[in-house]
Amino acid sequence: MSGNTRISLANEQRESGRQQVFDAIRQAGRIARIDIARQTNVSPATVTAITSELMAAGLIEEFTPEGERTASKRGRPRVALKVRGDAHLIAGIKISDRFATVILVDFEGNTISEHDEPLPGPVMSPEEILPPIERALHGACAAAGRNFGDISGVGIGLAGLVNANEGFVHWSPSLDTRNVELGKMLEEALPFPIFLDNDANLVAKAEQLFGLGRNKSDFIVITIEQGVGMGIVIDNQIYRGERGCGAEFGHTKVQLEGALCRCGQRGCLEAYVGDYALLREANIRSGDQPQEDLALLYQRSKTGDAMAKSIFDRAGRMFAMGLANVINIFDPELVILSGEQMAFDFLYADEVLERVKASVVQVDAALPEIEVHKWGALMWAQGAAAYAMEGVTALTIRSLTANAA
């Protein structure tokens, strides 16, 4: 093994150790050095050295719990470590069909401000999406009384096929162009790092850090709005696939040569379950009376409208088929259903869940938990901010390794 290779491996190990210790601190919230050593199986001496580096970099700080302060007369109080909230200002953005929703958080994840910026339309060119994103960030900073330059990193979630490692969008219903280096375009236009990912992955990240996925190592989030998305957490990590196109639940096929999906293919689950698909089917059937309000259509189904009821019944059957397939493939501990359509129960009604159970491989063990989490648009933005926090942390730790080399 050459000297350069040994140095490279040593640097990777140091970087991995720093990241492991920092992750333990963030996950715990407040934790003593000796407890970090126990949790990570890193020696106490190494933990002390790493935490000193992280403190010098401004990422963490010491914290004496109130109970320890009052007991300090009997000896030295036990000092814990925590993430330093004012270390960085982070932004998370969710791109929907109408708004760019922004949340500003400190480095502990506490909300500083929120802002909604209207978009010029549901589908934009890559060039058209840049100005509203910048306006949205300025609006969030103004609401917080902070400067634009205070932001350390921005996470952005949008629907579609996204290679998060490259910031590359293969396809998105929000863009009129395929194969866009959107992350690079945004970083050239804005003065901070950009962390781009599929929006459903970021919902999974939000659930993992702040929601029902906390303390769960393996779970799945399914989001249903205009489209259908899925985020997969396996062994505490988001699964994205080789090209960033994994977990595209909405584009699994449920009908041979079936309804046209906005991705351009036919028979996708989304083409039967997404908001646009339900309204499209209603408009095909109703003729001269255009349907534009999903809530009104749903209400009609509940008050005896046979046409509206058949549309939602079909959506429920298709969704049950797809969800059963997901459970059969992954056998997760938990499935979380999220998104705007959770305001309506047609995808998690008792008869739908019974269809799921009937289609899952039968073994003498309990089925995965299926939970409904009715978060709003800020959930998506909060997940994007969490992703950016991870990215900014990794960049800072990498710079420590480079400076020490």
Side-chain angles (χ1 to χ4, degrees), residues 281 285 297 299-314:
E281 182 67 15
R285 296 197 195 183
L297 183 66
Q299 185 59 39
R300 286 171 52 190
S301 76
K302 288 296 189 181
T303 55
D305 186 301
M307 181 269 289
K309 186 176 186 304
S310 70
I311 291 172
F312 288 104
D313 285 348
R314 184 178 72 165

Side-chain angles (χ1 to χ4, degrees), residues 106-157:
D106 67 15
F107 211 49
E108 286 188 274
N110 299 309
T111 300
I112 305 298
S113 70
E114 305 162 6
H115 180 75
D116 282 330
E117 182 68 27
L119 295 173
V123 182
M124 298 158 283
S125 70
E127 292 74 22
E128 286 176 317
I129 204 171
L130 298 177
I133 285 176
E134 186 168 3
R135 289 196 300 271
L137 291 168
H138 277 290
C141 287
R146 301 293 296 267
N147 295 320
F148 189 64
D150 292 342
I151 298 174
S152 296
V154 178
I156 300 177

Side-chain angles (χ1 to χ4, degrees), residues 244-299:
C245 302
E248 282 300 324
F249 179 52
H251 302 289
T252 55
K253 304 302 181 280
V254 294
Q255 182 73 47
L256 184 65
E257 297 300 326
L260 181 65
C261 179
R262 59 182 177 170
C263 76
Q265 297 190 353
R266 289 188 174 275
C268 297
L269 176 64
E270 181 180 296
Y272 296 92
V273 174
D275 290 8
Y276 74 92
L278 298 171
L279 291 171
R280 177 181 62 189
E281 182 67 15
N283 285 323
I284 290 172
R285 296 197 195 183
S286 61
D288 295 334
Q289 298 179 348
Q291 308 293 315
E292 298 178 352
D293 189 325
L294 189 63
L296 181 59
L297 183 66
Y298 181 70
Q299 185 59 39

Side-chain angles (χ1 to χ4, degrees), residues 206-284:
E207 291 285 7
Q208 184 182 39
L209 295 181
F210 314 116
L212 298 176
R214 295 190 74 173
N215 302 316
K216 303 283 188 183
S217 61
D218 300 270
F219 67 91
I220 286 174
V221 176
I222 294 175
T223 61
I224 306 100
E225 297 195 310
Q226 274 289 327
V228 179
M230 182 165 70
I232 303 172
V233 175
I234 299 175
D235 196 20
N236 295 306
Q237 300 296 317
I238 301 289
Y239 176 77
R240 294 183 173 88
E242 178 64 26
R243 300 170 300 156
C245 302
E248 282 300 324
F249 179 52
H251 302 289
T252 55
K253 304 302 181 280
V254 294
Q255 182 73 47
L256 184 65
E257 297 300 326
L260 181 65
C261 179
R262 59 182 177 170
C263 76
Q265 297 190 353
R266 289 188 174 275
C268 297
L269 176 64
E270 181 180 296
Y272 296 92
V273 174
D275 290 8
Y276 74 92
L278 298 171
L279 291 171
R280 177 181 62 189
E281 182 67 15
N283 285 323
I284 290 172

Side-chain angles (χ1 to χ4, degrees), residues 188-212:
E188 288 175 349
L190 300 170
F192 26 66
I194 300 295
F195 305 94
L196 187 70
D197 202 354
N198 170 272
D199 54 1
N201 286 340
L202 299 183
V203 174
K205 177 58 65 179
E207 291 285 7
Q208 184 182 39
L209 295 181
F210 314 116
L212 298 176

Side-chain angles (χ1 to χ4, degrees), residues 3 14 62 74 252 271 283:
R14 282 195 291 271
E62 290 185 330
R74 297 192 297 270
T252 55
N283 285 323

